[in-house]
Amino acid sequence: MWKKLSRLCAFLLTLTLMLAACAGAPADASRSSGAFSDGGPDLPAVPVYVPEPEPEPEPPEPQPVLTQQDVDDTLAQVMERYKAAGVTVATVELGRPSQAGAWGWAVKNQREMTPDTKIRIASISKVVVAMCALAMAEDGLLDLDAPLSEYWGAKAVNPYSKSQPTVQDLMTHTSSLKNLDPVRGLSKQRGLLNSKSSWRTMEPGNGGYWAYSNFGVSVLGTTLELAAQQTLDDYLQKRFLEPMDIRASFLGGRLNEDEVATLYTTGGVGRTAAAHAGQSVPTDIGGASLYFAGGYTTSAVDMAKLVAVLANDGVYQEQVYAQTEIFDVESGTQLVIEEPVPGEFRETRYLSEESVANMETPRFTVDLADYASFDQCLVLRRQEDVLGQEVLYYHTGSAYGVFSLMTYNPITKNGIVVITTGTPRNMNEHGMYALCYDLMEILYEKMEETPV
């Protein structure tokens, strides 16, 4: 009996030790030693499945938030505090034109103001001239750093300075030319540039001698014509306006009376729509020199397209539309309906990123007695912490009863154009027209709201 129990205990002890050894050894080691093998093939190791973490969802791309109601309500709110004949506004969001609106009359008691009404936009014209200058430089037609004498002849020099003014100096109002009255015609302009009495005793490009000059910009525009050997308006049409579906011009005579606004002052009429559309259309170089500093005639909507190019680093994003054919039972005709494709845009580059950066680069700071200082760029001006924006590039315009303002923020790529007629001249501490400023302040704030 004891022998049977001893044998049983020995067997159990041996079995226990073998099981323990088997459990402590790696699976492949046990197979290689033949332990508990029946002589068959080794079984493959079973892979362990470890689920991959799901990727974080990408945040949705920001979308424009302004609605037509936002613009209409803002116009109604602001115009409770101001008087004007007409106001038009257009906005840019995320580098693309978004909403537009209008208030009042294009022609009093005859034609209402619309966002597409063409208005002589005054000194904002200078921004368009500057865009043409940068484009010509890209096209190899113009050297921004060449002295003016390269285009006007050897006598067109400042006899009082060591260096000579360049195209860029004209765009910063530091050409050293006196602020003479602009003249029409190539020969008259050349005569002034050749005269010692037309020059100031200063070194060109010196911001300490900054002097805002309409004459300088009229010379700039004709310089571009000499460089390109064509009229500036023809170049503008082909390079920017026609491809962007913009109807505008430096020459009022290229537009129709029924699409142009009468310019009202607080005391009457600054210029009728008929007079503006009836202007001659010069075809010779230098013939349109009077129009470059302030004669560009456009709508708020079309000016916003050019602002969008600057705000978007030189690229214009055009909405893509889908066409749908439907059959109109009542008329018995086939109709084609165009609807925008959400989120689909056709991109076209009109200026290089380097050209826009050059245009936006501050050259010096201008300190004014009555208004906030600003950085002078190539025609554009720059201020920080204005209109609730970290930084804004802008330009103002005023003539014949028009007060206008264009602004954009290169960080958010938002911008606004406001054009007014028949309102009092009321400039705030930022050097911007109060009606335009108040409209923009509300709209910029609405642009930054998160849609519900």
Side-chain angles (χ1 to χ4, degrees), residues 7-270:
R7 290 173 182 166
L8 178 60
C9 289
F11 174 76
L12 292 174
L13 178 60
T14 301
L15 180 61
T16 301
L17 292 173
M18 291 178 69
L19 289 173
C22 183
D28 57 347
S30 64
R31 282 196 293 271
S32 63
S33 65
F36 298 105
S37 173
D38 60 359
D42 291 342
L43 296 175
V46 179
V48 178
Y49 174 72
V50 179
E52 294 185 3
E54 294 197 9
E56 292 286 334
E58 293 186 6
E61 288 195 10
Q63 298 295 324
V65 299
L66 280 181
T67 65
Q68 186 64 55
Q69 193 66 48
D70 288 331
V71 176
D72 294 343
D73 289 347
T74 301
L75 274 167
Q77 177 183 343
V78 170
M79 293 315 297
E80 289 180 356
R81 308 195 304 271
Y82 290 95
K83 292 182 179 180
V87 180
T88 182
V89 56
T91 62
V92 173
E93 291 182 86
L94 307 174
R96 301 187 292 268
S98 57
Q99 301 294 338
W103 181 97
W105 298 99
V107 179
K108 285 184 178 179
N109 303 315
Q110 295 182 36
R111 181 157 44 91
E112 291 185 351
M113 185 71 81
T114 75
D116 292 310
T117 301
K118 314 301 179 186
I119 307 172
R120 186 185 186 277
I121 205 167
S123 286
I124 294 178
S125 305
K126 296 175 174 66
V127 176
V128 183
V129 176
M131 292 179 72
C132 288
L134 272 295
M136 284 188 185
E138 289 185 17
D139 296 343
L141 301 173
L142 178 74
D143 184 349
L144 296 172
D145 296 314
L148 295 184
S149 58
E150 181 168 321
Y151 303 102
W152 288 92
K155 294 182 179 179
V157 295
N158 183 341
Y160 310 111
S161 67
K162 296 178 182 178
S163 60
Q164 289 302 311
T166 66
V167 173
Q168 291 196 103
D169 294 330
L170 287 170
M171 288 194 278
T172 59
H173 303 286
T174 59
S175 67
S176 74
L177 279 167
K178 293 179 180 178
N179 188 24
L180 307 173
D181 291 332
V183 295
R184 183 196 301 271
L186 188 61
S187 61
K188 288 183 178 179
Q189 288 184 84
R190 181 174 279 117
L192 289 173
L193 294 179
N194 292 350
S195 172
K196 293 182 179 180
S197 62
S198 298
W199 297 92
R200 302 167 65 196
T201 306
M202 61 167 278
E203 288 300 314
N206 187 337
Y209 291 91
W210 177 91
Y212 188 79
S213 177
N214 286 324
F215 176 65
V217 176
S218 72
V219 172
L220 170 63
T222 306
T223 304
L224 302 187
E225 293 186 326
L226 289 168
Q229 282 300 294
Q230 60 180 300
T231 68
L232 182 58
D233 202 75
D234 283 346
Y235 177 83
L236 172 67
Q237 298 291 335
K238 296 171 186 174
R239 186 61 161 75
F240 289 99
L241 305 191
E242 290 174 5
M244 296 177 69
D245 193 25
I246 292 176
R247 181 161 170 76
S249 178
F250 283 113
L251 311 173
R254 281 189 162 172
L255 303 170
N256 301 324
E257 178 184 347
D258 61 1
E259 61 184 339
V260 175
T262 288
L263 310 182
Y264 293 98
T265 66
T266 52
V269 175

Side-chain angles (χ1 to χ4, degrees), residues 416-431:
I416 307 175
V417 176
V418 178
I419 315 170
T420 73
T421 69
T423 190
R425 180 185 179 91
N426 184 1
M427 188 171 279
N428 63 20
E429 68 274 16
H430 296 287

